[in-house]
């Protein structure tokens, strides 16, 4: 595609439910990043993929959070048993070469846990 | 110490004035540097890459100081549309992107 695509753009869920957030990176981009951003705050790193492997998942806040990437392309971030503090915008970015090139962001998924 | 640090601001700038701010990074092996711009409730977008020799793009000038481990962004002739949060991004060799928390710039009429 022309850019990084994320779905859904908005998600409202009840506390305790599981949610899946999807990221479609730019074709050919090997690196994929997940961040989250609470209102008025900076970007919080969650996980980084190089191909299908995740060399750095240090930012996942708890074991309720998991992510996978298949075929070196689409990635899914799953949050189990959602809590109100999980409410944030979840941003995905991809880059062609993680060492040198810039990353491009999707428009994000705004998650609200009620 | 945070890996990438920025003055959060806000920097209140009269229209037409010049504003400059820095970003410091802790990993001396870092190879790539970028400035991103983020508008309210929008995703970050690349403003410019930062090259070793410094580079300019219109009213924007970026500099890299490896010895002191900081990068800078200067905006000349500020426009109202320059109001945004500017994110410093550092990319260590082969590693994940490291984002600063951002510097807020508010350009006033």
């Amino acid at each position: 595609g022309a850019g990084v695509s994320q779905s859904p753009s908005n998600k409202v869920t009840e506390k305790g439910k599981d949610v899946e957030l999807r990221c479609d990176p730019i074709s050919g981009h090997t690196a994929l990043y997940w961040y989250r951003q609470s209102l008025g705050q900076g970007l919080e790193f969650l996980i980084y993929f190089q191909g299908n492997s995740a060399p750095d998942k240090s930012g996942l806040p708890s074991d309720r959070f998991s992510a996978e990437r298949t075929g070196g392309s689409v990635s899914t971030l799953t949050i189990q048993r959602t809590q109100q503090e999980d409410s944030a915008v979840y941003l995905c970015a991809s880059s062609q070469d993680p060492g040198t090139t810039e990353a491009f962001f999707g428009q994000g998924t705004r998650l609200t846990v009620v | 110490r945070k890996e990438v640090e920025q003055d959060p601001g806000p920097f209140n700038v009269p229209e037409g004035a010049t504003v400059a701010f820095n970003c410091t990074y802790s990993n001396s092996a870092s190879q790539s540097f970028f400035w991103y711009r983020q508008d309210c409730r929008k995703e970050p977008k690349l403003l410019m890459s930062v090259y070793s020799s410094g580079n300019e793009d219109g009213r924007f000038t970026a500099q890299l100081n490896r010895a002191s481990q900081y990068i800078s962004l200067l905006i000349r002739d500020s426009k109202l549309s320059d109001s945004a949060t500017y994110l410093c991004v550092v990319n260590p060799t082969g590693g994940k992107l490291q984002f600063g928390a951002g510097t807020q710039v508010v350009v006033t009429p």
Side-chain angles (χ1 to χ4, degrees):
Chain A
V4 178
S5 177
Q6 290 187 247
S7 60
S9 54
N10 280 285
K11 176 73 176 178
V12 179
T13 190
E14 291 180 352
K15 179 180 172 181
K17 301 276 190 184
D18 297 353
V19 294
E20 281 191 356
L21 312 180
R22 177 187 167 107
C23 173
D24 240 301
I26 294 172
S27 178
H29 280 196
T30 60
L32 186 147
Y33 308 85
W34 282 98
Y35 292 85
R36 74 175 176 182
Q37 188 171 35
S38 300
L39 193 62
Q41 302 298 309
L43 291 169
E44 177 187 1
F45 169 77
L46 297 178
I47 189 169
Y48 153 60
F49 286 94
Q50 175 57 31
N52 290 337
S53 62
D56 191 338
K57 52 180 77 172
S58 62
L60 294 177
S62 75
D63 59 9
R64 296 187 295 105
F65 287 72
S66 63
E68 64 174 14
R69 188 179 185 195
T70 55
S73 181
V74 172
S75 176
T76 303
L77 177 69
T78 301
I79 309 173
Q80 295 179 310
R81 305 181 302 282
T82 51
Q83 304 294 313
Q84 288 187 326
E85 61 263 28
D86 299 335
S87 297
V89 175
Y90 289 79
L91 290 160
C92 174
S94 71
S95 70
Q96 188 170 32
D97 172 0
T100 57
T101 62
E102 67 271 21
F104 297 87
F105 281 83
Q107 292 186 321
T109 293
R110 185 173 302 279
L111 176 66
T112 304
V113 182
V114 297
Chain B
R1 182 184 174 186
K2 290 182 181 177
E3 293 166 328
V4 181
E5 295 203 59
Q6 294 185 249
D7 182 339
F11 284 67
N12 294 297
V13 187
E15 198 174 3
T18 296
V19 61
F21 41 88
N22 295 339
C23 159
T24 58
Y25 60 93
S26 60
N27 188 336
S28 60
S30 298
Q31 295 295 319
S32 304
F33 308 88
F34 308 95
W35 282 106
Y36 279 70
R37 170 194 171 126
Q38 186 173 27
D39 294 297
C40 188
R41 301 174 80 85
K42 297 284 191 180
E43 76 275 19
K45 293 185 178 178
L46 180 69
L47 177 66
M48 59 196 300
S49 302
V50 185
Y51 302 123
S52 296
S53 55
N55 49 300
E56 192 174 301
D57 183 0
R59 298 180 294 106
F60 297 83
T61 301
Q63 295 280 350
L64 167 62
N65 185 317
R66 285 194 183 274
S68 300
Q69 293 182 209
Y70 73 86
I71 64 173
S72 64
L73 182 67
L74 181 145
I75 308 173
R76 285 185 303 278
D77 186 23
S78 298
K79 310 292 185 190
L80 295 176
S81 57
D82 294 334
S83 296
T85 296
Y86 291 84
L87 304 173
C88 166
V89 182
V90 176
N91 196 343
T93 304
K96 69 176 190 275
L97 297 173
Q98 296 172 338
F99 277 80
T103 295
Q104 185 183 8
V105 172
V106 179
V107 182
T108 55

